[in-house]
Amino acid sequence: METGSGTMIGTERFGTLADGTAVHRWTLERDGTRVRVLTYGGIVQSAEVPDRDGVRAGIALGLPDLASYQVYTAPYFGALVGRYANRIGGASFELDGRTHHLTRNEGRNQLHGGVRGFDKRVWNARAVPDGVELSLVSADGEEGFPGRVELTAAYTLDEGGALRIAYRAVTDAPTVLNLTNHTYWNLAGADSGSALGQRLRIAAGAVTPVDEESLPTGEFLPVEGTRFDFREPRPVAKGYDHNFVLDGTSPAAELYDEGSGRVLTVTTTEPGLQLYTADHMDGRPFGPCAGVALETQHFPDSPNRPEFPSTVLRPGEEFASTTVYGFSVR
């Protein structure tokens, strides 16, 4: 194990792709938190934290080997999602008068960056203080997106054991970019069954409602008096795959499991949070609602919605986004 500035850092070979590319697993440990990150897809394979009695258990849904991640791709277990997280309607958008046609992988739309998004790429990795930094070059035209984009994603553990993910990116041509981490959380334990009933608070006064294709209608729906009102903690139920318009207060979200006492807080620089309850997870290897995804990101279909915050990145600009997952007990 190498030692970062307060964080123990180790790396090992995790597997090999069919083309001979090696995949490595990085282990970060600090103040009771142990996180494992894969160079394949930037995946958070596991996050282990103690309960109120000091017993540590995994709370992030993960898979045991590389082959499993290549088979069970649709749930995006723990993955770094891009070039555009969430959906782009019609798998196309117009930028500076030019229409860009993207690969379709959800009906007529594109979801989470297309057929071979960042979740299916092997990232370069290097140790940095308190963690690991992954890097990737996304070529011009990849999955239909314009511009050559250079990205980094640093996974580090802060004092107290909080997991910080900091993204940076630049481009050589105008493009759109929206990144997120797709970890599913179950604070009772990753192998404990359904996460329904754990109490969730989201600092959001509105959501962006969706149509039958799960694309936003362009409206901003106040949450008051609806099932989307998580401004005060309420038990997680089925039926959520929606973007919440964050009000900018911190933390953006908090999840609590009464049985274990574990608390997850989410702080972010992003304007939105996608709550996904995974109703249709098919039992291989996890069943429906086995975890709750809290995806910090820009809004879905923003390239086609000028009323939404812009996701355009231009040459000379830097994309910068940070989300911190804090762990505690109550």
Side-chain angles (χ1 to χ4, degrees):
M1 298 284 283
E2 300 176 6
T3 303
S5 302
T7 300
M8 298 295 293
I9 305 170
T11 185
E12 61 189 323
R13 195 182 186 100
F14 185 70
T16 305
L17 298 180
D19 64 2
T21 303
V23 173
H24 290 84
R25 177 169 68 180
W26 289 71
T27 299
L28 317 178
E29 188 163 0
R30 183 173 187 176
D31 295 336
T33 299
R34 181 189 296 135
V35 173
R36 291 188 169 95
V37 178
L38 306 181
T39 56
Y40 180 78
I43 288 169
V44 175
Q45 185 202 14
S46 65
E48 301 167 63
V49 299
D51 63 11
R52 65 164 63 93
D53 297 320
V55 178
R56 189 160 61 179
I59 60 169
L61 273 56
L63 303 178
D65 50 51
L66 182 59
S68 297
Y69 282 106
Q70 294 179 280
V71 170
Y72 302 118
T73 57
Y76 299 90
F77 288 115
L80 195 168
V81 176
R83 198 184 276 198
Y84 199 95
N86 219 308
R87 294 169 175 88
I88 295 181
S92 67
F93 65 93
E94 183 178 304
L95 180 59
D96 297 340
R98 179 183 173 189
T99 299
H100 298 276
H101 297 282
L102 311 176
T103 56
R104 299 179 177 184
N105 65 327
E106 190 186 56
R108 70 181 191 93
N109 307 315
Q110 187 186 87
L111 173 67
H112 291 333
V115 175
R116 188 170 182 260
F118 294 169
D119 60 295
K120 299 175 185 69
R121 299 283 300 277
V122 177
W123 295 61
N124 297 315
R126 69 182 185 98
V128 294
D130 292 321
V132 58
E133 181 185 81
L134 305 183
S135 62
L136 181 72
V137 174
S138 178
D140 178 34
E142 190 171 282
E143 299 295 317
F145 289 98
R148 179 182 186 273
V149 176
E150 299 179 11
L151 308 103
T152 63
Y155 297 68
T156 58
L157 293 184
D158 293 346
E159 185 176 356
L163 171 62
R164 177 182 298 268
I165 305 180
Y167 309 93
R168 297 288 186 273
V170 294
T171 182
D172 67 357
T175 191
V176 295
L177 185 67
N178 187 27
L179 305 177
T180 195
N181 174 266
H182 208 290
T183 294
Y184 296 88
W185 304 98
N186 187 331
L187 300 188
D191 59 354
S192 66
S194 173
L196 298 182
Q198 296 177 25
R199 299 184 68 82
L200 177 64
R201 183 180 65 81
I202 303 176
V207 295
T208 52
V210 296
D211 61 19
E212 65 278 358
E213 293 182 288
S214 295
L215 291 169
T217 62
E219 303 167 89
F220 290 83
L221 174 69
V223 300
E224 186 170 0
T226 75
R227 69 187 184 97
F228 301 106
D229 193 350
F230 285 90
R231 292 174 297 175
E232 295 296 330
R234 64 188 295 174
V236 175
K238 290 184 177 181
Y240 293 96
D241 189 7
H242 295 82
N243 170 65
F244 286 71
V245 181
L246 299 176
D247 63 20
T249 60
S250 186
E254 179 182 279
L255 185 65
Y256 170 61
D257 174 55
E258 185 175 3
S260 67
R262 294 188 182 96
V263 179
L264 168 68
T265 58
V266 182
T267 60
T268 186
T269 58
E270 290 297 294
L273 183 146
Q274 185 86 4
L275 170 62
Y276 179 47
T277 50
D279 296 10
H280 305 295
M281 205 174 281
D282 63 6
R284 296 173 294 169
F286 299 102
C289 307
V292 177
L294 302 170
E295 306 163 51
T296 59
Q297 56 190 265
H298 269 61
F299 303 170
D301 204 28
S302 290
N304 294 312
R305 291 288 178 183
E307 64 271 32
F308 288 176
S310 175
T311 55
V312 174
L313 180 66
R314 298 185 180 278
E317 300 175 345
E318 182 186 49
F319 174 92
S321 173
T322 300
T323 295
V324 179
Y325 304 93
F327 310 107
S328 60
V329 292
R330 183 181 299 160

